[in-house]
Amino acid sequence: MHTQAGAHALWKRLGALLVILGLAAPGSFSSLPAIPHGCPHGCICTADLLSCAKQGLRQVPAALPPTATTLDLSHNDLFQLHSRWLAALPRLQALRLSHNRITDLSPQALHNATALRHLDMSSNHLRAVEKHYFEALLRLEELLLYNNWIVRVDEQAFVQLSSLQKLYLSWNNLTQFPFSSMQGLNHPNLTTLDLSTNNLSSIPIEEVAALPAYIQNGLYLHNNPLRCDCALYQMLLQWQQRQLSSVQDFLEEHTCTAFATMARSLVRFLKYRKIFENCSLSQGSPSAPDTHATVLVGDTLLINCNTSTADVSATYMWISPRHEPIVHPGNSNGTLEVYRNGSLKITAAKPWHSGVYACLAIGKHHQLNKMHEVNVTIHYPTLGGESFSTSLTTLLGCAVSLMLVFVYLYLTPCRCCQCSKKAAAPSPPQECSAQSSILSTTPPATDGPSRKISTSRHVVFLEPIKEAHSGKIRLPASEDIPDAKNPKFLQIKSDSESVSSVFSDTPIMS
């Protein structure tokens, strides 16, 4: 027993020694991931990722690894972010703060995130979007603010975000939105502006219609209690006809309130358009003259630079369809003139003036850049005082032709019966209508056995056939037979009493 116990203890000590020697060997920890310096307790840290999601945090951890490019603090109990707390993360590009209880941001809460490109603050308790919230995020591309309590957005909240591509504000309590701040060249990369599922009862049609086409394509307004009117209907109908994604992707979710006092009077007005059947193309659509203009050749056209800017010191410049700048006062030949208020005048319009004109409003310190586009169409004047329908003209021509045919067939004088009285002996029925056989599709018959009749409509004979006094056809004398090398067309002397039958299409039988 003692021998077995001693052997067991010896083997245990030997195993422990082998383990110690193995751990002490070089490279034994090469396969194990190294824990970055300063990783908070309970978080997951890698070379560039720091995830502290679902840790019940009420404050941001004090120690943060400086190598992190992605920081995930979602699904916690954070309610406040202190100033300059991101100073330790100079490489941070993605910050996830969703599903917390953040109600406000201090003036310098995000000022050190100069490299930040993605910010998710969805599902928090934000009540407004102030000017100082995101003004330092010059490289920000995606901003998620959906599912908050936001009731107001400052007009200057997103002006500095020139790199912004996607902005999500759905599922909030917005009653209005500063669309004028999104016009022009402030956001050249913006492709998604989601304002769906809010409390928007009306939108400024003129400001929305003045937005660039790439913003309209991603401007989602569905699931809002918008009041039904012709202006809204015409704008969204034009978007649908242009196949814009903002309308096509949510066609049935675009609703409007038919009666303001009845919350249940929602109508899917892009699917059931009967209530808008009295809306004309121009009624209630103030955006039509601002984005499209039509003028006749030689007339004068004045178009406004609808940039919705209140800067009285702003200067204006138009870009012609040929990509040429037009500034005040205008071009050298005087056909294009720019006024101080930004209006463009086209004098003596010509066909080459057609195209899309873009107006740029530039602020005093080159900080205000807004753009508005107008599609100009040049038409030629209509020739003549009246324009007839093509089908009516064709029908009238057919009736006149048919009447002339009846007159020609039944009212043409013919005295073939008198021709038969002059004949001493009975003659073939074609003798009195020799002239009619000239235009007939069937060639005339002859008495000469040696003469053959061609079945062709165009027949050429050798010599004119002379007519006898008895009305019969006789062959010419031998001295009158011409050389075969010099053929002539058939010439038949017509009876003075049957001249009118020359133009008959059918031989008249006597």
Side-chain angles (χ1 to χ4, degrees), residues 447-451 464-466 472-478 480-481:
D447 293 331
S450 62
R451 187 175 295 274
I465 302 177
K466 295 182 180 180
K472 292 185 178 182
I473 299 176
R474 66 180 180 86
L475 293 176
S478 59
D480 296 334
I481 297 177

Side-chain angles (χ1 to χ4, degrees), residues 288-289 292-297 299-301 303 349 374-379:
H292 295 82
T294 304
V295 66
L296 295 178
V297 173
D299 290 349
T300 300
L301 176 65
I303 52 180
V374 179
N375 189 4
V376 176
T377 304
I378 311 296
H379 286 296

Side-chain angles (χ1 to χ4, degrees), residues 237-251:
L237 181 62
Q238 292 176 3
W239 290 10
Q240 182 187 7
Q241 294 172 350
R242 291 162 55 189
Q243 301 292 318
L244 297 187
S245 300
S246 55
V247 176
Q248 291 294 109
D249 294 347
F250 298 93
L251 187 63

Side-chain angles (χ1 to χ4, degrees), residues 437-504:
S437 64
I438 295 178
L439 299 179
S440 176
T441 57
T442 305
T446 60
D447 293 331
S450 62
R451 187 175 295 274
K452 295 182 179 180
I453 303 300
S454 173
T455 59
S456 176
R457 182 176 300 183
H458 305 283
V459 183
V460 176
F461 293 90
L462 295 178
E463 176 66 18
I465 302 177
K466 295 182 180 180
E467 185 180 355
H469 294 287
S470 61
K472 292 185 178 182
I473 299 176
R474 66 180 180 86
L475 293 176
S478 59
E479 62 272 10
D480 296 334
I481 297 177
D483 187 6
K485 297 180 181 180
N486 186 21
K488 296 182 181 180
F489 286 94
L490 173 64
Q491 297 178 1
I492 301 180
K493 293 183 180 180
S494 61
D495 188 43
S496 59
E497 299 180 358
S498 61
V499 176
S500 61
S501 63
V502 173
F503 299 96
S504 176

Side-chain angles (χ1 to χ4, degrees), residues 79-100:
F79 62 92
Q80 188 178 9
L81 301 174
H82 57 80
S83 299
R84 301 183 182 277
W85 67 282
L86 293 174
L89 303 175
R91 302 180 184 179
L92 189 63
Q93 296 185 7
L95 176 60
R96 299 185 177 93
L97 295 168
S98 62
H99 294 89
N100 280 280

Side-chain angles (χ1 to χ4, degrees), residues 31 57 76 98 190 192 222 236 296 325 350 363 392 415 482:
S31 59
L57 301 176
N76 282 288
S98 62
L190 187 61
T192 300
H222 58 276
L236 295 181
L296 295 178
K350 297 292 188 286
L392 180 60
R415 301 182 177 85

Side-chain angles (χ1 to χ4, degrees), residues 388-414:
F388 293 94
S389 173
T390 304
S391 58
L392 180 60
T393 305
T394 305
L395 180 61
L396 182 61
C398 292
V400 173
S401 301
L402 184 61
M403 182 180 64
L404 292 177
V405 168
F406 278 104
V407 171
Y408 173 54
L409 292 178
Y410 295 101
L411 299 182
T412 302
C414 180

Side-chain angles (χ1 to χ4, degrees), residues 269-308:
F269 59 97
L270 291 181
K271 185 176 181 181
Y272 305 101
R273 307 174 182 176
K274 190 172 182 180
I275 64 173
F276 295 99
E277 60 186 3
N278 293 328
C279 292
S280 62
L281 292 178
S282 59
Q283 177 184 357
S285 180
S287 62
D290 295 331
T291 57
H292 295 82
T294 304
V295 66
L296 295 178
V297 173
D299 290 349
T300 300
L301 176 65
L302 183 66
I303 52 180
N304 298 321
C305 183
N306 184 19
T307 58
S308 301

